[in-house]
């Protein structure tokens, strides 16, 4: 077999194998960097659209007027299946109504103030969640990356038995690769609990989606909502016959009266303007990791049930806690700043890990200037592409093609980095060759 495969073919195969590893490392780096920035999703929305009306709170009657106005504006269009009202809170003091076709801000009195324009912030979150791929494909890949990150964290500790004992040993200026390895190992130790938590919750969020689709296809005729029903609450029986706008104000008034310690964050209308419609209020609980509890109401605003995310089965509570733990939205600005610090460290770990790998190959005599240059392009090109697209949002507006522009900039950076390193390598070889 060895005689059949030529050495040049083997070399190309090894380079292809290394390139595949580089792609996996690049995706880990992109997901880590975008996740770090996405911690400030609410703040970024306010940067994108600074003139949207803001308020500390909004009256239930104003919310009702807003819901009625939005549904009236969609008359003659296909009925929206869900309507979401984001209620103002300390991090995002805005009231926003989102349907299947539009998103608008409400003024304090419930009137429509104008469209929501946060396309760059949404692009960033989609990049982190799905790498801008179709949802099921992208979130599955990101879930697998979470598993890889978890495996790398655990195997890194096992592979370096002195890693904790040397936690404060840092040869930062060593030139033979030891200094870079020390930075990588020290950051890995100092951020290990954070890395494990982020990787585990990311894997759970990503792989839970593909699992739900698989169970739905096998047992529920493709109805994914039926799979999530036992955890987050059942959808209820659909009845498409027309009906009046549900009484959201009554539901919010009930929450204020019966659950004064709970802060409503969302009002959700399921199948609005049909006989099968019902209302859910998402309520945030202090000192809890759960993103909130679902409080169910009928169309008249009468209370029906609680989903059980706050005090139900342990599995329900764990499922409802993964999101806030993953994105750091459970403790205000202090927690977000901590997530920023640890996120930058985790991103640096992803970057230095690949540099260490490339350095080891180089010391074994495997010269790959193209791969090294491509990795330079990933490290520099990713934040550069994010900065360029954000600048384009501020200068050119909400309709700029952010996703395609990001990937074009990154591809140019990767290709340019690889080409520059190859040419530099050829120049060095030519300069070092003896003249005849």
């Amino acid at each position: 077999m060895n005689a059949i495969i030529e050495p040049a073919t083997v070399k190309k195969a090894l380079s292809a194998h290394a390139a595949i590893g580089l792609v996996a490392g690049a995706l880990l780096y992109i997901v880590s960097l975008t996740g770090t920035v996405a911690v400030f999703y609410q703040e970024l929305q306010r940067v994108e659209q600074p003139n949207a009306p803001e308020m500390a709170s909004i009256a239930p009657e104003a919310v009702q007027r807003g819901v009625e106005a939005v549904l009236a504006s969609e008359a003659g269009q296909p009925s929206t299946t869900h309507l979401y009202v984001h209620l103002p809170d300390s991090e995002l003091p805005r009231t926003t109504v989102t349907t299947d076709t539009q998103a608008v801000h409400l003024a304090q009195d419930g009137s429509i103030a104008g469209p929501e324009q946060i396309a760059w912030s949404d692009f960033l979150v989609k990049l982190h969640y799905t790498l801008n791929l179709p949802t099921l494909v992208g979130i599955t890949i990101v879930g697998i990356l979470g598993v890889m990150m978890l495996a790398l964290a655990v195997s890194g500790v096992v592979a370096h038995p002195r890693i904790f004992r040397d936690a404060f040993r840092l040869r930062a200026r060593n030139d033979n690769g030891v200094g870079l390895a020390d930075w990588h190992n020290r950051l890995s130790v100092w951020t290990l609990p954070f890395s494990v938590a982020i990787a585990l919750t990311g894997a759970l969020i990503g792989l839970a989606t593909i699992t739900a689709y698989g169970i739905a296809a096998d047992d529920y005729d493709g109805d994914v909502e039926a799979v999530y029903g036992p955890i987050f609450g059942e959808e209820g029986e659909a009845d498409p016959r027309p009906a009046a706008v549900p009484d959201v104000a009554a539901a919010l008034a009930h929450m204020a009266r019966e659950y004064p310690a709970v802060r409503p964050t969302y009002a959700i209308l399921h199948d609005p303007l049909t006989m099968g419609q019902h209302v859910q209020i998402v309520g945030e609980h202090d000192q809890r990791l759960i993103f909130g509890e679902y409080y169910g109401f009928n169309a008249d605003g009468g209370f029906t049930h609680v989903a059980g995310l706050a005090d139900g089965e342990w599995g329900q509570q764990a499922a409802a806690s993964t999101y806030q733990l993953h994105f750091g939205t459970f403790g205000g600005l202090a927690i977000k700043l901590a997530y920023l610090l640890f996120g930058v460290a985790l991103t640096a770990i992803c970057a230095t890990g690949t540099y260490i790998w490339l350095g080891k190959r180089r010391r074994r005599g495997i010269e790959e200037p193209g791969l090294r240059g491509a990795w330079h392009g990933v490290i520099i090109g990713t934040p550069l592409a994010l900065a360029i697209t954000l600048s384009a949002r501020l200068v050119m507006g909400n309709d700029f093609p952010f996703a395609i522009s990001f990937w074009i900039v990154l591809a140019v950076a990767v290709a340019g980095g690889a080409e520059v390193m190859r040419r530099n390598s050829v120049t060095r070889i030519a300069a070092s060759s003896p003249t005849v």
Side-chain angles (χ1 to χ4, degrees):
M1 187 67 178
N2 291 339
I4 297 174
I5 303 177
E6 297 180 356
T9 303
V10 174
K11 185 176 181 180
K12 289 180 180 178
L14 289 172
S15 294
H17 181 75
I20 293 171
L22 198 68
V23 170
L27 294 180
L28 277 174
Y29 175 79
I30 292 170
V31 170
S32 297
L33 179 60
T34 54
T36 300
V37 180
V39 168
F40 296 93
Y41 176 59
Q42 291 90 348
E43 289 79 4
L44 288 168
Q45 292 181 52
R46 300 176 76 178
V47 171
E48 273 199 79
Q49 199 172 11
N51 297 322
E54 298 193 342
M55 61 210 73
S57 62
I58 186 169
E61 295 75 18
V63 174
Q64 183 70 31
R65 285 193 292 272
V67 168
E68 292 174 356
V70 170
L71 290 174
S73 73
E74 298 189 350
Q77 302 179 25
S79 298
T80 187
T81 58
H82 293 85
L83 182 148
Y84 301 86
V85 183
H86 172 271
L87 301 168
D89 57 32
S90 59
E91 295 184 342
L92 189 61
R94 299 177 174 183
T95 305
T96 308
V97 180
T98 304
T99 70
D100 294 347
T101 59
Q102 64 174 324
V104 297
H105 294 296
L106 298 185
Q108 183 80 62
D109 62 358
S111 60
I112 297 176
E116 181 185 50
Q117 295 183 323
I118 56 167
W120 189 86
S121 300
D122 286 342
F123 146 75
L124 175 71
V125 171
K126 289 177 182 177
L127 178 59
H128 178 70
Y129 259 112
T130 67
L131 296 169
N132 299 134
L133 295 169
T135 300
L136 186 57
V137 175
I139 203 168
T140 301
I141 293 174
V142 172
I144 292 171
L145 291 173
V147 174
M148 289 176 57
M149 187 178 292
L150 184 62
L152 288 169
V154 174
S155 61
V157 173
V158 174
H160 299 83
R162 295 178 49 178
I163 194 168
F164 291 107
R165 187 171 64 181
D166 293 342
F168 296 97
R169 184 183 183 189
L170 181 62
R171 291 161 288 186
R173 298 183 179 277
N174 192 291
D175 294 328
N176 62 0
V178 175
L180 190 62
D182 270 11
W183 273 113
H184 179 84
N185 292 335
R186 298 302 82 80
L187 288 174
S188 298
V189 172
W190 299 335
T191 64
L192 184 61
F194 173 82
S195 300
V196 170
I198 293 298
L200 180 60
T201 52
L204 288 173
I205 292 170
L207 298 183
T209 302
I210 185 64
T211 301
Y213 272 89
I215 294 173
D218 191 53
D219 298 327
Y220 295 94
D221 297 323
D223 186 359
V224 178
E225 291 178 344
V227 179
Y228 286 118
I231 301 174
F232 300 108
E234 303 289 346
E235 277 287 308
E237 292 294 331
D239 185 344
R241 291 177 297 166
V245 178
D247 197 341
V248 182
L252 290 170
H254 178 92
M255 291 297 299
R257 184 174 62 252
E258 301 296 331
Y259 299 96
V262 174
R263 293 188 306 278
T265 56
Y266 277 90
I268 307 173
L269 279 62
H270 298 260
D271 299 318
L273 301 181
T274 72
M275 292 295 291
Q277 66 188 346
H278 63 282
V279 178
Q280 281 182 320
I281 304 297
V282 182
E284 194 173 75
H285 290 228
D286 284 330
Q287 308 300 319
R288 297 295 303 276
L289 272 178
I290 60 169
F291 66 83
E293 175 65 276
Y294 284 105
Y295 298 85
F297 297 84
N298 59 30
D300 296 326
F303 177 74
T304 58
H305 69 283
V306 176
L309 301 181
D311 55 5
E313 298 293 335
W314 282 106
Q316 282 183 285
Q317 297 187 47
S321 300
T322 56
Y323 299 93
Q324 293 218 102
L325 184 58
H326 187 75
F327 287 105
T329 55
F330 57 88
L333 181 60
I335 294 296
K336 287 189 174 186
L337 291 175
Y339 267 62
L340 173 64
L341 178 63
F342 289 131
V344 169
L346 181 57
T347 305
I349 291 168
C350 294
T352 54
T354 302
Y355 275 125
I356 292 168
W357 173 63
L358 290 170
K360 287 180 178 178
R361 292 171 65 83
R362 190 176 188 179
R363 287 191 291 275
R364 292 201 304 267
I366 305 174
E367 288 289 343
E368 296 167 315
L371 288 182
R372 181 175 290 274
W375 188 245
H376 289 332
V378 170
I379 300 306
I380 298 171
T382 303
L384 177 63
L386 290 176
I388 288 174
T389 52
L390 177 57
S391 299
R393 164 64 185 92
L394 299 177
V395 174
M396 303 181 69
N398 200 58
D399 296 326
F400 187 82
F402 301 108
I404 190 171
S405 300
F406 170 86
W407 289 106
I408 287 174
V409 171
L410 182 57
V412 169
V414 170
E419 183 61 23
V420 168
M421 288 295 287
R422 286 195 194 98
R423 292 190 178 187
N424 289 344
S425 177
V426 171
T427 301
R428 285 196 303 270
I429 292 172
S432 61
S433 298
T435 56
V436 177

